Amino acid sequence: MERRYIKDILEKGKEEKVLVKGWVHETRELGKIRFLILRDVTGIIQVVAVKDNSEFKKMNQSRENVISVSGNLVKSKQAPGGIEIVPEKIEVIAEAEQPLPIDVSDFSKTELPKRLDYRFLDLHRKRTQAIFKIQSVISTAFREHFIKKGFVEFQPPSIISSASEGGTELFPAKYFEKNAYLAQSPQLYKQMIACSMEKAMTITPVWRAEKHNTIRHLNESRQMDIEMAFANQEIIMKELEEVIQYIVRQVIERCEKELDLLNVKLKVPKGVYLSYEEAIKKVKGKIGEDFTPEQEKKLCEMYPDSVVFTHSWPSSIKPFYIMPKNQEKNAKYTEGFDALYRGIEISSGGQRIHIPELLEKMIKKKGLNPKDFKSYIDSFRYGAPEHAGWSIGLERFTMVLLNLGNIREACMFPRDRDRLVP
Ligand code: ATP
Ligand code: MG
């Protein structure tokens, strides 16, 4: 007999012979009746045996044992899903050593660090699975949306020869006789592609050797990036608003069960646009400074169910490659923006400088040496149009969307200051 998925069996609701395989989710004994809840990736089903059933003894399984059950489906009002299996044969495929090192129930009492130590087992939990099923829908929706719009997906290198942005610390990597680093962003590469193929997108890992340990930073994260030629800040912010709306709509449509399990209610957000100056005044911040986490939260609370765009940031707090207003080297403000959602920054972006001379000036203004950026600057000498783009952190976005208290909940195998295993 061919193995069947539980969801399919429950949907058909037909009394027939079946073979199912999965994990022991729960067992119970009521006098002369034994119940076993079996779980596969699609759902759970009840197996029931009375004392004179040949498999009665084998119904006494440890939690998370992997078993196969063949038997007859019987309709039952008390069973979850309205149908249960009376077993004819139960076989153990793999035993789970007991005691389990972590609590694998939906509302596990095991603390996050210990759950991460045993992430392979934590992934048995429906709650953990729900997070990563939703994350998979997020990245798929992102890709779908831009592929439909004619973007080309590109694969940037992960090993680079020098800092692409300055600022954050890089992880050094030995590369034969040369010094190399792990890429902190695909910035340079996506610009080169926008300046040739016009519309570029990627989902790619990046590495930042930031030593701090926060609930919103990882040292290895995935970024969802786009870059477009003949675009400015305004055009690119609209692209971001639209893709977030598409992603949220897809998650609502495709992940009803998972959202219920996580107790998350979602609404498709609208875009709200404020200049940096307006926004920093609204939260009583200092002009020329980044928003503190508290100020980001406060600003979002003023606009519920919205993606809050703060645009036209001062050049002093944006990277050197962000285009100054009116392409003037002394302009105080830029074509750079941030986007906040549900209280936290989820994306940064803007129009880039495509004029080599201006780029050199801005690099110097930041106290950096244009010689260190020679190949970057040279890439704009042979027919480079104006272009703009942004980046959303995949784990950051997942965390925000699902109200997770820590970004590590949204990363299958997090890399942080202390964690390199598993
Ligand atoms: P933040 O101000 O939140 O530290 P950033 O401005 O340094 O982030 P960007 O360079 O703008 O980060 O990166 C683009 C996006 O990538 C951010 O908006 C965020 O969603 C995500 N991101 C940045 N750094 C990290 C990190 N260390 N861990 C996880 N996600 C990150
Ligand atoms: Mg940013």
Side-chain angles (χ1 to χ4, degrees):
M1 221 188 318
E2 210 175 302
R3 180 225 175 171
R4 300 265 300 277
Y5 283 112
I6 290 171
K7 180 166 175 263
D8 163 54
I9 290 172
L10 296 177
E11 276 171 4
K12 279 223 175 94
K14 214 167 89 185
E15 300 202 339
E16 57 183 329
K17 256 197 200 331
V18 290
L19 167 66
V20 289
K21 294 183 182 183
W23 289 261
V24 175
H25 194 62
E26 218 181 284
T27 54
R28 252 181 320 130
E29 188 159 351
L30 277 180
K32 290 179 183 137
I33 311 180
R34 280 181 177 167
F35 298 92
L36 183 157
I37 305 286
L38 189 77
R39 181 187 78 240
D40 73 10
V41 71
T42 66
I44 57 166
I45 195 162
Q46 180 163 285
V47 184
V48 185
V50 291
K51 206 149 197 178
D52 58 4
N53 183 304
S54 67
E55 305 307 281
F56 185 77
K57 265 196 184 147
K58 288 192 221 154
M59 291 286 285
N60 191 16
Q61 297 281 338
S62 301
R63 177 139 202 192
E64 301 310 313
N65 276 2
V66 183
I67 63 171
S68 76
V69 180
S70 55
N72 293 300
L73 286 175
V74 179
K75 287 195 178 156
S76 151
K77 285 212 175 83
Q78 288 97 322
I83 203 154
E84 60 193 14
I85 303 176
V86 176
E88 281 181 345
K89 191 162 190 160
I90 294 179
E91 277 177 329
V92 176
I93 296 169
E95 276 188 48
E97 280 181 29
Q98 304 289 326
L100 298 174
I102 61 167
D103 174 3
V104 287
S105 61
D106 282 349
F107 294 92
S108 176
K109 286 180 196 72
T110 312
E111 301 275 342
L112 179 61
K114 184 131 188 236
R115 282 201 285 112
L116 292 176
D117 288 344
Y118 293 95
R119 187 56 132 179
F120 53 90
L121 194 53
D122 188 49
L123 280 163
H124 286 218
R125 295 172 61 226
K126 282 199 294 178
R127 214 184 128 76
T128 309
Q129 292 184 1
I131 293 170
F132 293 108
K133 275 194 206 166
I134 293 171
Q135 186 166 75
S136 162
V137 169
I138 293 170
S139 56
T140 305
F142 175 84
R143 182 176 281 122
E144 249 169 34
H145 178 82
F146 284 113
I147 295 295
K148 267 190 245 161
K149 294 192 77 168
F151 279 66
V152 60
E153 180 168 10
F154 71 98
Q155 315 293 341
S158 295
I159 302 174
I160 55 172
S161 70
S162 62
S164 36
E165 311 197 10
T168 50
E169 302 262 328
L170 303 180
F171 285 108
K174 273 215 175 71
Y175 194 76
F176 303 112
E177 293 76 30
K178 292 194 175 100
N179 290 326
Y181 304 92
L182 296 181
Q184 71 188 106
S185 102
Q187 188 61 32
L188 165 60
Y189 304 96
K190 64 177 181 166
Q191 290 188 251
M192 291 200 268
I193 296 157
C195 289
S196 50
M197 298 179 80
E198 293 204 30
K199 298 198 271 189
M201 62 136 294
T202 189
I203 302 176
T204 188
V206 296
W207 295 268
R208 297 179 178 191
E210 295 156 353
K211 288 204 176 86
H212 56 245
N213 242 329
T214 79
I215 56 148
R216 58 202 266 175
H217 292 96
L218 295 164
N219 292 110
E220 177 183 78
S221 67
R222 262 55 37 178
Q223 287 191 335
M224 303 190 288
D225 277 50
I226 73 159
E227 197 73 23
M228 276 175 91
F230 308 104
N232 57 18
Q233 172 179 239
E234 251 173 81
I235 293 174
I236 215 84
M237 285 194 290
K238 200 73 202 157
E239 291 288 348
L240 182 56
E241 180 187 332
E242 282 173 17
V243 73
I244 290 173
Q245 288 169 336
Y246 182 77
I247 291 173
V248 176
R249 218 175 288 127
Q250 291 303 309
V251 170
I252 293 171
E253 273 174 27
R254 297 190 209 170
C255 306
E256 202 186 325
K257 224 175 65 192
E258 287 75 18
L259 290 172
D260 268 356
L261 184 73
L262 298 169
N263 199 16
V264 173
K265 304 217 171 2
L266 291 179
K267 253 192 187 167
V268 176
K270 52 185 187 301
V272 167
Y273 293 81
L274 303 168
S275 73
Y276 163 86
E277 248 194 59
E278 270 177 281
I280 200 89
K281 279 182 192 156
K282 273 189 196 287
V283 295
K284 305 201 163 51
K286 268 207 200 109
I287 291 185
E289 282 181 14
D290 199 346
F291 296 84
T292 63
E294 294 70 39
Q295 289 166 344
E296 288 181 351
K297 200 161 163 251
K298 214 163 127 190
L299 195 59
C300 288
E301 279 164 5
M302 293 177 189
Y303 305 95
D305 298 315
S306 305
V307 179
V308 180
F309 290 87
T310 58
H311 60 80
S312 307
W313 277 52
S315 64
S316 56
I317 46 172
K318 276 285 160 197
F320 67 80
Y321 54 79
I322 295 289
M323 182 62 94
K325 282 264 173 221
N326 308 317
Q327 310 198 359
E328 280 170 29
K329 95 171 152 76
N330 290 322
K332 203 168 141 204
Y333 291 100
T334 66
E335 291 283 311
F337 74 87
D338 266 18
L340 311 177
Y341 185 37
R342 298 175 147 234
I344 299 186
E345 177 194 323
I346 52 155
S347 177
S348 288
Q351 185 179 338
R352 326 300 189 182
I353 301 176
H354 61 288
I355 305 161
E357 301 70 43
L358 184 55
L359 199 47
E360 276 171 5
K361 279 179 190 148
M362 297 308 288
I363 287 170
K364 279 189 204 147
K365 211 171 143 185
K366 289 271 177 193
L368 300 166
N369 188 348
K371 272 194 200 140
D372 295 337
F373 298 90
K374 186 175 181 309
S375 84
Y376 180 61
I377 299 167
D378 285 349
S379 76
F380 302 112
R381 293 193 194 280
Y382 308 95
E386 71 268 19
H387 58 282
W390 45 249
S391 173
I392 313 174
L394 175 61
E395 294 89 351
R396 178 79 64 85
F397 185 80
T398 310
M399 167 196 186
V400 166
L401 197 70
L402 304 180
N403 300 325
L404 305 173
N406 192 316
I407 195 166
R408 290 161 185 78
E409 296 273 13
C411 182
M412 266 196 197
F413 301 102
R415 294 289 172 257
D416 63 25
R417 186 80 168 92
D418 308 308
R419 186 173 296 279
L420 205 49
V421 179

